Amino acid sequence: MTDLAAVKAALKTQAVETPSWAYGNSGTRFKVFAQAGVPRTPQEKLEDAAKVHEFTGVAPTVALHIPWDRVDDYGALAKFAEERGVRLGAINSNTFQDDDYKLGSICHPDATVRRKAVGHLLECVDIMDATGSRDLKLWFADGTNYPGQDDVRARQDRLAEGLAEVYERLGDGQRMLLEYKFFEPAFYSTDVPDWGTAYAHCLKLGEKAQVVVDTGHHAPGTNIEFIVATLLREGKLGGFDFNSRFYADDDLMVGAADPFQLFRIMYEVVRGGGFTSDVAFMLDQCHNIEAKIPAIIRSVMNVQEATAKALLVDREALADAQREGDVLGANAVLMDAYNTDVRPLLREVREEMGLDPSPLDAYARSGWGERIVAERVGGQQAGWGA
Ligand code: PSV
Ligand code: MN
């Protein structure tokens, strides 16, 4: 039997980090569709993120992307966030949008470009000092398009050297989260393509270096929950970038494409003790055609629902069935939890937290969506590169 009170208590402590870039305009390589009311500044992104937290109660931090969220005074930005009930979360670096990075950043064959990339990463740690952020999130667009284009092994050496310099700069309580992605923008080889490569680098660097699993960064059919279980077992799961994919790195709402996969992942998180550890649960999504704030609220709720189902798994009954080799019985225990309608439970949890049981309805009633459309007129809307 699962202890419902414990499940509820766990759900109340959940924290999902929303990404500042999800509030801005985004699109595909074909078109970025602008939406009315989109933030023009990092501060306006934080105002929107504060609304997501206000109505869900479980989205207390916001990830920043540098340079998209560059400001003169990061301490003041952190204060601005706190005044609205949220905090600044992971600092995401960007070594993929300058012309210099055509052949890579930290793995580039030219030492001058590598220095520039490492300089940017060190600047991100300076920003973390000012914002009080714990995590530096690293994703490298580095790789090659053609066999022979560069020495793939030398690129690994350059990567290790650059990462080591940044690692040395981390302060107490700060971490470096290394993200992998199997392809794109490079098409032949990618310098951090998979969890094994990320893990190998993190292991050598030390305990402040951890792996990030972006759920969209895998080939079709990859058993992501196995990766999660393995990284947790090794103490190397730093966090998630949640989103869902139908084809490649689609960045759609987490849990939209495959809620069962999200449940399986969250089950391994719960099973491996990751739910009560330092694993960062972040969203990394882009809302190209749908309303952004409701889509982010929906995504947070999808993570909550998958977590609730994972917490409801009768672990004792499962262990018994597994021990007895009861294949169908064990599968049934897992499926019973997955097939539970957890929406009434979550409504209760929200009421007990002093929230409206329906975050989306409460948001719609709040008038915030209409207010930002009316007030955010003129100026340059935030979007990729801004
Ligand atoms: C790369 O596709 C990525 O997932 C990294 O996390 C970046 O920081 C983010 O997208 C930018 O949207
Ligand atoms: Mn990501």
Side-chain angles (χ1 to χ4, degrees):
M1 277 298 288
T2 27
D3 177 355
L4 260 192
V7 169
K8 279 186 175 178
L11 288 167
K12 288 176 194 168
T13 66
Q14 185 153 35
V16 179
E17 181 159 308
T18 72
S20 69
W21 53 100
Y23 299 95
N25 284 326
S26 57
T28 63
R29 62 200 168 101
F30 300 102
K31 168 75 179 162
V32 171
F33 294 103
Q35 291 189 17
V38 154
R40 282 109 12 121
T41 61
Q43 286 81 358
E44 288 182 350
K45 294 179 196 174
L46 291 171
E47 285 177 348
D48 289 356
K51 291 289 156 189
V52 174
H53 184 48
E54 182 181 327
F55 295 113
T56 63
V58 291
T61 57
V62 189
L64 298 187
H65 210 295
I66 307 298
W68 302 341
D69 296 314
R70 202 164 252 152
V71 291
D72 291 335
D73 186 341
Y74 290 96
L77 192 68
K79 195 160 170 281
F80 181 93
E82 270 156 41
E83 283 163 2
R84 279 147 192 86
V86 288
R87 280 171 290 114
L88 302 182
I91 300 299
N92 288 251
S93 59
N94 181 325
T95 51
F96 49 88
Q97 282 191 313
D98 288 359
D99 285 337
D100 286 339
Y101 297 139
K102 187 167 79 174
L103 301 179
S105 61
I106 192 170
C107 305
H108 197 286
D110 182 342
T112 324
V113 179
R114 295 204 295 278
R115 182 93 314 270
K116 171 178 164 169
V118 169
H120 169 69
L121 304 182
L122 295 173
E123 180 205 348
C124 287
V125 185
D126 292 341
I127 293 172
M128 289 161 69
D129 289 342
T131 57
S133 299
R134 179 190 56 181
D135 295 333
L136 170 65
K137 185 135 67 68
L138 305 173
W139 171 70
F140 298 108
D142 292 48
T144 67
N145 270 4
Y146 295 98
Q149 178 191 319
D150 196 5
D151 182 334
V152 292
R153 181 166 163 160
R155 292 181 75 93
Q156 289 298 309
D157 296 338
R158 298 171 203 150
L159 176 65
E161 197 184 314
L163 288 176
E165 187 175 342
V166 180
Y167 187 89
E168 284 311 310
R169 165 67 183 82
L170 293 174
D172 292 339
Q174 291 181 337
R175 310 189 301 179
M176 166 192 274
L177 306 183
L178 182 58
E179 187 172 345
Y180 59 91
K181 176 171 171 175
F182 73 123
F183 89 111
E184 199 200 23
F187 295 118
Y188 166 61
S189 71
T190 294
D191 294 312
V192 190
D194 50 32
W195 74 270
T197 307
Y199 174 75
H201 281 283
C202 289
L203 195 63
K204 201 163 266 176
L205 286 164
E207 59 183 24
K208 291 181 188 170
Q210 302 255 313
V211 180
V212 176
V213 175
D214 182 313
T215 48
H217 291 184
H218 304 85
T222 302
N223 184 335
I224 300 175
E225 58 271 28
F226 178 80
I227 298 171
V228 169
T230 303
L231 288 173
L232 269 172
R233 186 170 173 271
E234 299 298 334
K236 279 292 182 197
L237 181 66
F240 287 96
D241 264 6
F242 280 129
N243 50 54
S244 44
R245 68 186 291 284
F246 285 103
Y247 297 101
D249 190 19
D250 303 352
D251 281 344
L252 298 173
M253 294 190 299
V254 60
D258 190 347
F260 184 42
Q261 180 189 59
L262 183 58
F263 160 76
R264 299 192 310 263
I265 290 171
M266 288 312 298
Y267 173 69
E268 289 306 332
V269 169
V270 170
R271 161 69 181 88
F275 191 63
T276 47
S277 71
D278 285 334
V279 173
F281 298 92
M282 302 172 276
L283 303 180
D284 178 11
Q285 302 184 159
C286 293
H287 307 290
N288 303 343
I289 57 168
E290 66 274 31
K292 295 170 195 298
I293 300 172
I296 299 167
I297 293 176
R298 164 60 67 202
S299 305
V300 171
M301 292 169 70
N302 286 351
V303 175
Q304 256 188 323
E305 286 177 19
T307 308
K309 291 177 183 206
L311 289 165
L312 282 176
V313 171
D314 186 338
R315 303 258 305 269
E316 255 173 63
L318 183 62
D320 286 347
Q322 289 172 343
R323 208 176 311 107
E324 287 158 17
D326 181 358
V327 176
L328 291 178
N331 179 242
V333 172
L334 213 69
M335 294 312 294
D336 275 348
Y338 177 66
N339 287 319
T340 308
D341 183 357
V342 293
R343 291 172 299 178
L345 174 73
L346 285 167
R347 279 197 287 271
E348 267 177 48
V349 165
R350 291 187 193 111
E351 272 168 345
E352 288 171 21
M353 291 170 78
L355 299 169
D356 189 291
S358 171
L360 281 166
D361 290 341
Y363 174 73
R365 278 197 312 274
S366 75
W368 182 256
E370 291 77 14
R371 185 172 150 190
I372 55 179
V373 168
E375 287 180 2
R376 293 179 185 165
V377 177
Q380 169 84 37
Q381 289 190 319
W384 287 351

